[in-house]
Amino acid sequence: MCVNSCAAYIGPLSDMDTCPECSKLCYNQVKFNKSGGKIKHPHAVFHMIPIALQIQSLWQHSESAEKMCYWHHHTQQIFCKLQKNDGLVDAYDNVFCSHAYLNAMTQNKIQPDDTLLMISIDGAQLYESKESDC
């Protein structure tokens, strides 16, 4: 992986010696030189953890399966509060208080047996031509 996180050197980029974006060398030159040019040690390594297997395993243990139902229980409490308080919640203390989430629930886009996954990314640029908002 590029030292600047520009590219991962797999597939069509696996034989590259420099990054196609920033032109930085792909390998740690100190380690490469110490090995006499024999060992190409990457600057950075990306580890992938298949999320589906992780989520499936959470349902296999009763304690973690109960925690996986947190969103459903908490949502029911929020709907009760909304009914008692004329559509208002006391505090927006959780992502489940968001307008988008509650709309998805009322429109049955999210079902009780669904598994919800939240991802928080810092510094990711999702659009190639978009200027950064950071």
Side-chain angles (χ1 to χ4, degrees):
M1 184 164 187
C2 175
V3 70
N4 293 326
S5 300
C6 300
Y9 303 117
I10 59 170
L13 303 180
S14 61
D15 293 329
M16 301 202 83
D17 289 323
T18 59
C19 177
E21 293 294 320
C22 69
S23 301
K24 295 279 185 179
L25 293 170
C26 298
Y27 304 104
N28 182 317
Q29 293 303 298
V30 173
K31 291 182 179 183
F32 182 71
N33 292 336
K34 281 185 180 179
S35 72
K38 295 178 184 173
I39 300 173
K40 294 181 175 181
H41 191 275
H43 282 290
V45 178
F46 177 80
H47 297 281
M48 187 177 112
I49 302 171
I51 194 68
L53 297 175
Q54 299 297 316
I55 291 171
Q56 288 173 357
S57 69
L58 290 171
W59 288 109
Q60 301 303 312
H61 188 269
S62 61
E63 185 177 330
S64 59
E66 180 62 30
K67 289 179 181 179
M68 293 285 286
C69 295
Y70 167 79
W71 71 269
H72 182 69
H73 300 306
H74 194 71
T75 302
Q76 297 307 312
Q77 293 172 355
I78 292 170
F79 280 129
C80 287
K81 287 179 185 178
L82 288 170
Q83 285 179 339
K84 291 178 186 177
N85 297 331
D86 296 321
L88 301 172
V89 292
D90 298 331
Y92 290 89
D93 59 352
N94 200 308
V95 67
F96 304 121
C97 295
S98 76
H99 181 71
Y101 169 77
L102 293 174
N103 276 347
M105 288 297 297
T106 57
Q107 296 170 7
N108 293 321
K109 291 181 179 178
I110 301 172
Q111 300 295 316
D113 291 335
D114 289 344
T115 298
L116 302 181
L117 175 66
M118 183 190 314
I119 299 174
S120 178
I121 303 174
D122 184 24
Q125 187 69 39
L126 300 178
Y127 302 97
E128 184 176 343
S129 61
K130 184 175 183 278
E131 293 293 324
S132 179
D133 292 332
C134 299

